[in-house]
Amino acid sequence: MLFLLRTKRMLRYLSTPHSQCRCKSDVRLSALKNKITQGPGLKDFIMESTGASEVITHRPYIPYLPDIIQDTSKRKVYFDVYGCQMNLNDTEIVWSILKKEGFEKTEVEEEADVFLVMTCAIREGAETKIWHRLDHLRGFKRRRSLAKNMKPIKIGILGCMAERLKEKLIEKEKAVDVVAGPDSYRDLPRLLAVTESGQTAVNVLLSLDETYADVVPVRLNKGSVSAFISIMRGCDNMCTYCIVPFTRGRERSRPISSIVDEVKHLSESGVKEVTLLGQNVNSYRDVTQTTGKFDTSMAKGFKTVYKNKKGGLRFADLLDKVSAVDPEMRIRFTAAHPKDFPDEVLQVISSRPNICKSLHLPAQSGSSEVLERMRRGYTREAYLELVERVREVLPNVGLSTDMICGFCGETEDQFLETLSLMDIVDYNVAFLFSYSMREKTTAYRRYKDDVPEHVKRDRHRRMVELYRTKCQRMNEAEIGNIHLVLVEGTLPKTGQLLGRNELYIKVVLDRAVLPAGGGERQIAPGDYVAVRILSARSSVLTGEPLYHTTIGEFYRDYGWADRFALKG
């Protein structure tokens, strides 16, 4: 330390105009700086002051741990992703963390050293698929262990199923080496290292503040023109049928600044569409910034089990800032609770052409009695009033929903109310499920799963039939209209291009050279194309490409009410 003080004094002296050697100061100063650079470092001063013979400045070798724990880099990871879009984004977060530690990614099973299965626990069907996958991986691991000169395989279970079934996974699945819940992905490098000593490593602790806001996800499909951004984690709604609050914890939101930075990064990378993700994105609340807002506001006729949350920037503020990053980037968001569609959110959506007018309003049931048992916080009448208000502010809006049939105590008459709601609302997209009871939920503790399986299957079939009939009718009404389509890729069998319109409906079109910017060029993924619809099925439209365009150009001369009434 004494040497450093003397050096600093010397440098100050040589730089002062009063120095007697001012004429040579620049030369001497440069020489001294060079000498310091090549001179002793922190290690030398520590050794001099403590008398130590050596100071370790590299990764230490620990003889009682296996060699692989010293450096887990170059291990190849294979990802299996199940469930929702949130799980895909979580996998990109995991890959970002592991990549920094030197892991490599592979899409070939035979090359993998580590299999990480991102799981879903929201329905029984999803868990069944994962158990089957684990059976396959167990056999693969056993065969690999018999091969000579091959690294042993490690299997990790991540996500919601890891938290919900941690004991069962450890006891039943002896082949599983790592169990990591949604809030413990930062710990994965350590967990994988621990398994090299033969232990099973588990971390399923839920967090009150983990949002991975500082982790920049590494996209698994870099060629995709669309991307997902997680804006929040957890859920506070506590619907009686839902396992999410118990597997992903309490609701917490990322700061707006980190989300905007990620959108900018994706825009610069050529991404043309981002989807904001969360269990309930519309209740987003950034409390890191001061605001004049106080209580949360909900749609008319809706209530919630928790007290009004105070302070923080809201989802309308987030949408405003995110949509302003790149006017030629489409903005979508999911999932949502219908209670969180107050007028300020609808007004922001209506004011920005690049925010898709396709809203997710999960009804879950059309019966007020069933909705009360589900603890959804609204009645059938309140839901229909919200739909009417949405269509008043956003003419020709596209609506999507989630519906559950066969919930505890559902009668035939109550189910018929669900069908009538679907008939009234005209959903463009619907996700339809038979109820499967989940442990830990309120329904598991309070209600009986008393609707027979064959009745559930029949009701599900009837929901699907009605939905397809309605979609066929609505899509046929679009024949002759011109839609703005974002081209996403190519259909392998036909070689035709596949894209989506603003309402997230698939549109198939032929390859073509089209007018673009005063010239012509071939259609490619990432292009916005005006497409005249020629034919329709319940789930896909087929059209004729007309010309290259942009969001701004396509909607410049048309109000929102006319945007699907553009006749060729």
Side-chain angles (χ1 to χ4, degrees):
M1 296 304 292
L2 182 61
F3 174 80
L4 289 175
L5 290 173
R6 289 174 177 173
T7 302
K8 289 180 180 178
R9 290 172 187 159
M10 179 64 74
L11 290 175
R12 285 198 297 269
Y13 173 77
L14 291 173
S15 356
T16 177
H18 303 293
S19 170
Q20 296 178 359
C21 303
R22 183 179 177 185
C23 60
K24 299 181 180 180
S25 62
D26 292 341
V27 176
R28 294 176 63 187
L29 180 61
S30 176
L32 184 56
K33 285 183 177 179
N34 184 62
K35 184 176 180 180
I36 292 173
T37 303
Q38 303 298 325
L42 178 62
K43 179 174 67 175
D44 300 281
F45 292 111
I46 294 175
M47 291 173 62
E48 181 178 346
S49 61
T50 63
S53 59
E54 181 183 5
V55 175
I56 297 175
T57 57
H58 55 276
R59 183 194 294 268
Y61 176 76
I62 305 175
Y64 55 83
L65 291 180
D67 290 342
I68 190 65
I69 293 186
Q70 315 303 323
D71 184 7
T72 55
S73 63
K74 303 301 181 184
R75 303 213 70 189
K76 293 187 176 182
V77 183
Y78 184 100
F79 290 103
D80 272 314
V81 186
Y82 295 85
C84 62
Q85 296 162 327
M86 191 76 168
N87 275 4
L88 177 61
N89 184 254
D90 276 7
T91 305
E92 293 177 343
I93 290 172
V94 169
W95 174 224
S96 176
I97 293 169
L98 294 181
K99 188 176 181 181
K100 287 183 179 179
E101 294 295 321
F103 286 80
E104 298 179 350
K105 184 169 72 72
T106 181
E107 296 181 2
V108 180
E109 282 192 2
E110 288 72 18
E111 295 180 353
D113 304 307
V114 179
F115 285 87
L116 296 180
V117 185
M118 184 64 71
T119 64
C120 175
I122 199 166
R123 279 174 289 276
E124 185 176 358
E127 287 191 0
T128 300
K129 292 179 182 178
I130 294 164
W131 287 119
H132 290 328
R133 178 59 175 166
L134 286 176
D135 288 339
H136 168 76
L137 292 179
R138 188 191 308 111
F140 188 83
K141 182 177 184 178
R142 183 174 60 253
R143 292 190 298 272
R144 179 76 166 263
S145 66
L146 301 176
K148 295 181 179 179
N149 302 321
M150 296 289 286
K151 294 180 180 178
I153 284 177
K154 301 299 177 184
I155 300 174
I157 302 299
L158 315 180
C160 296
M161 190 172 167
E163 200 287 329
R164 192 179 87 82
L165 298 173
K166 44 190 175 291
E167 292 89 358
K168 186 175 181 180
L169 285 167
I170 295 170
E171 295 171 4
K172 178 181 176 182
E173 294 297 322
K174 302 298 183 182
V176 172
D177 303 284
V178 172
V179 180
D183 292 343
S184 58
Y185 299 147
R186 295 181 193 271
D187 198 27
L188 271 173
R190 183 190 68 85
L191 296 174
L192 287 169
V194 168
T195 64
E196 298 304 327
S197 62
Q199 302 179 57
T200 299
V202 180
N203 186 345
V204 292
L205 293 176
L206 292 176
S207 170
L208 292 175
D209 53 14
E210 178 62 88
T211 62
Y212 301 104
D214 60 325
V215 178
V216 179
V218 178
R219 298 174 67 204
L220 298 177
N221 184 4
K222 293 185 178 180
S224 175
V225 300
S226 59
F228 302 107
I229 298 178
S230 175
I231 67 170
M232 61 190 300
R233 303 182 75 83
C235 184
D236 289 347
N237 286 320
M238 301 301 292
C239 301
T240 59
Y241 58 84
C242 187
I243 192 71
V244 168
F246 304 97
T247 58
R248 288 189 173 269
R250 298 295 299 275
E251 204 172 86
R252 64 270 191 201
S253 303
R254 286 175 59 182
I256 283 183
S257 57
S258 73
I259 299 169
V260 169
D261 287 344
E262 189 171 343
V263 173
K264 289 179 180 177
H265 171 73
L266 291 171
S267 176
E268 293 166 358
S269 302
V271 172
K272 294 297 183 70
E273 178 181 281
V274 296
T275 302
L276 308 179
L277 294 178
Q279 258 62 50
N280 188 24
V281 293
N282 299 36
S283 63
Y284 172 90
R285 194 169 64 101
D286 177 8
V287 295
T288 65
Q289 300 186 43
T290 57
T291 174
K293 298 178 181 179
F294 195 60
D295 288 340
T296 50
S297 57
M298 288 182 286
K300 181 182 177 182
F302 289 71
K303 62 183 179 180
T304 185
V305 295
Y306 53 78
K307 295 180 180 179
N308 280 355
K309 297 178 180 180
K310 305 180 186 301
L313 297 176
R314 307 302 164 79
F315 189 58
D317 303 303
L318 175 66
L319 275 181
D320 179 63
K321 293 183 182 298
V322 165
S323 60
V325 170
D326 182 354
E328 291 302 320
M329 173 186 276
R330 273 181 173 172
I331 307 297
R332 301 186 187 274
F333 54 90
T334 192
H337 191 293
K339 69 180 174 60
D340 297 304
F341 274 102
D343 272 6
E344 54 261 37
V345 172
L346 299 177
Q347 294 298 335
V348 173
I349 295 171
S350 68
S351 67
R352 294 294 172 87
N354 61 329
I355 302 179
C356 291
K357 309 307 179 288
S358 174
L359 305 185
H360 191 58
L361 295 176
Q364 306 300 355
S365 174
S367 164
S368 294
E369 292 89 349
V370 175
L371 289 170
E372 184 175 1
R373 289 200 297 276
M374 288 180 167
R375 201 158 60 192
R376 290 290 289 172
Y378 54 88
T379 62
R380 172 192 176 93
E381 292 72 27
Y383 182 88
L384 288 172
E385 186 176 347
L386 172 63
V387 170
E388 183 178 350
R389 176 57 180 162
V390 167
R391 286 187 165 143
E392 179 184 334
V393 178
L394 304 171
N396 284 320
V397 66
L399 298 180
S400 61
T401 193
D402 298 335
M403 286 289 186
I404 299 173
C405 66
F407 184 66
C408 306
E410 183 187 67
T411 65
E412 177 66 14
D413 287 342
Q414 290 169 345
F415 172 69
L416 290 177
E417 289 187 275
T418 294
L419 293 183
S420 71
L421 184 73
M422 294 175 62
D423 191 42
I424 292 169
V425 175
D426 285 339
Y427 295 107
N428 298 91
V429 178
F431 303 95
L432 310 174
F433 306 101
S434 298
Y435 174 67
S436 57
M437 183 170 278
R438 306 281 81 190
E439 294 180 18
K440 295 186 179 181
T441 62
T442 302
Y444 182 80
R445 299 192 305 271
R446 294 186 181 180
Y447 303 137
K448 182 179 179 181
D449 187 8
D450 54 359
V451 179
E453 286 300 317
H454 72 276
V455 174
K456 289 181 183 178
R457 288 193 298 268
D458 180 65
R459 290 177 182 176
H460 181 261
R461 176 190 57 78
R462 290 154 66 189
M463 283 199 306
V464 171
E465 286 181 357
L466 174 61
Y467 166 60
R468 288 177 177 171
T469 300
K470 300 286 287 185
C471 285
Q472 181 71 40
R473 190 179 307 156
M474 289 187 290
N475 287 348
E476 286 177 352
E478 297 301 326
I479 294 176
N481 290 351
I482 298 174
H483 288 218
L484 178 64
V485 174
L486 173 60
V487 179
E488 297 180 347
T490 304
L491 292 173
K493 292 184 179 180
T494 66
Q496 292 176 293
L497 296 171
L498 176 66
R500 292 184 188 269
N501 66 8
E502 185 176 4
L503 304 188
Y504 204 64
I505 299 172
K506 293 178 181 178
V507 181
V508 175
L509 56 148
D510 292 329
R511 294 179 177 273
V513 176
L514 300 178
E520 292 184 332
R521 65 179 177 83
Q522 182 79 34
I523 304 175
D527 288 346
Y528 288 110
V529 179
V531 178
R532 180 189 291 113
I533 304 304
L534 302 178
S535 63
R537 288 184 290 169
S538 61
S539 60
V540 63
L541 302 170
T542 301
E544 171 193 7
L546 302 177
Y547 54 89
H548 288 91
T549 186
T550 65
I551 293 176
E553 291 173 355
F554 189 80
Y555 292 138
R556 183 170 297 152
D557 299 324
Y558 299 92
W560 292 117
D562 303 321
R563 73 189 190 288
F564 288 131
L566 310 178
K567 295 292 183 180

